[in-house]
Amino acid sequence: MERIICLLIGHVFGLFQTAYFYGKAHGIDIRQYGSGNSGTTNALRVLGTKAGLIVLAGDCLKCILAVVVIRMLYGGSHPDMIYLLCLYAGAGAVLGHNYPFYMGFRGGKGIAATAGLILSFHPYFVVMGVVVFFGIFFTTHLVSLGSLLVYLGFVIEMVICGQNGVFAGMGQAQLYEMYALSFLLAALAYWKHRENILRLLHGNERRTYLFKKNQVNLAQKPEEKENDSKK
């Protein structure tokens, strides 16, 4: 029962679509521009660096808040499985972000929400996430590649930490459950990035820059999916 509650709490937080609401506040529907994705990267490209950073912070924060709520609810009564419950909350937030019912289930790809999970989960994961993502981003400027490698690192580190007693007090069955949930989240991220993966393989994935012009023409129609990273 606790798992379902955590999943639902995370889902409620995840439903807040930062990019969508930020875009609406500036007179546009973010889904009608750029890649059509309601996430950090598209907000950065369409509305600029400031918008991208605000959306990143908002999408991270909603997952962090979900994890904080879970720690407050179950930290005292279920200390032996608090990491598992936090992971369920993070999974709920990612699902809410990716598939918001009030937007026709057209949300983001869950990377910024996952960043919030990593930041609030365990200090070891923060180091891995920051080093891998920013190392890849600042050398290649490929957001998708950095995001996918962070998820790969997340799964690997989850298993390594679990098998080396980092999550003290958890039984092996609960650890296996965490590994499975981490793998499912990674699989969802790779599925959401399937078109990016094809472009990466073909060498035509769009590069993103923090301090160079990324913005698309706001007068244009939404890009076709197969071309959303070529402009």
Side-chain angles (χ1 to χ4, degrees):
M1 185 63 181
E2 292 85 1
R3 293 167 174 78
I4 296 175
I5 293 173
C6 293
L7 196 65
L8 290 175
I9 289 174
H11 188 77
V12 170
F13 278 96
L15 289 173
F16 184 85
Q17 294 290 309
T18 314
Y20 177 76
F21 291 123
Y22 186 92
K24 282 295 186 180
H26 289 77
I28 72 166
D29 183 341
I30 192 69
R31 298 171 300 167
Q32 300 302 315
Y33 301 94
S35 66
N37 185 57
S38 180
T40 298
T41 303
N42 200 38
L44 173 66
R45 291 171 178 168
V46 174
L47 294 168
T49 301
K50 178 182 176 181
L53 294 175
I54 290 173
V55 171
L56 173 63
D59 286 348
C60 284
L61 183 60
K62 63 189 181 186
C63 193
I64 292 172
L65 291 175
V67 171
V68 168
V69 169
I70 297 309
R71 290 188 184 278
M72 292 174 63
L73 285 176
Y74 295 111
S77 59
H78 295 75
D80 58 324
M81 59 185 297
I82 192 61
Y83 286 108
L84 176 61
L85 297 179
C86 288
L87 191 57
Y88 271 101
V94 170
L95 290 173
H97 175 78
N98 288 0
Y99 304 105
F101 69 90
Y102 63 92
M103 290 171 56
F105 301 98
R106 289 179 57 200
K109 296 182 180 179
I111 299 303
T114 300
L117 172 61
I118 290 173
L119 289 172
S120 57
F121 190 73
H122 192 282
Y124 288 170
F125 289 77
V126 176
V127 175
M128 178 279 299
V130 170
V131 170
V132 172
F133 180 80
F134 287 104
I136 295 296
F137 176 73
F138 286 122
T139 54
T140 68
H141 298 285
L142 294 170
V143 173
S144 56
L145 180 60
S147 301
L148 292 169
L149 290 179
V150 165
Y151 250 116
L152 178 61
F154 179 70
V155 175
I156 293 173
E157 188 167 16
M158 185 69 73
V159 175
I160 292 174
C161 288
Q163 295 305 115
N164 284 278
V166 172
F167 310 122
M170 294 190 65
Q172 194 62 50
Q174 293 175 334
L175 289 173
Y176 287 150
E177 190 175 349
M178 287 180 63
Y179 306 158
L181 189 53
S182 301
F183 176 81
L184 290 174
L185 283 173
L188 175 61
Y190 276 70
W191 171 255
K192 294 287 287 186
H193 284 80
R194 59 193 182 279
E195 293 173 0
N196 303 83
I197 292 171
L198 288 175
R199 289 192 293 270
L200 286 168
L201 292 174
H202 288 92
N204 58 6
E205 175 70 316
R206 178 176 176 174
R207 299 178 191 275
T208 302
Y209 301 88
L210 282 180
F211 304 110
K212 292 184 180 180
K213 188 174 181 180
N214 296 288
Q215 287 181 276
V216 299
N217 181 0
L218 293 182
Q220 70 182 2
K221 295 291 184 180
E223 297 169 328
E224 295 295 332
K225 285 186 176 180
E226 61 269 27
N227 296 320
D228 69 351
S229 68
K230 296 180 182 179
K231 294 187 178 181

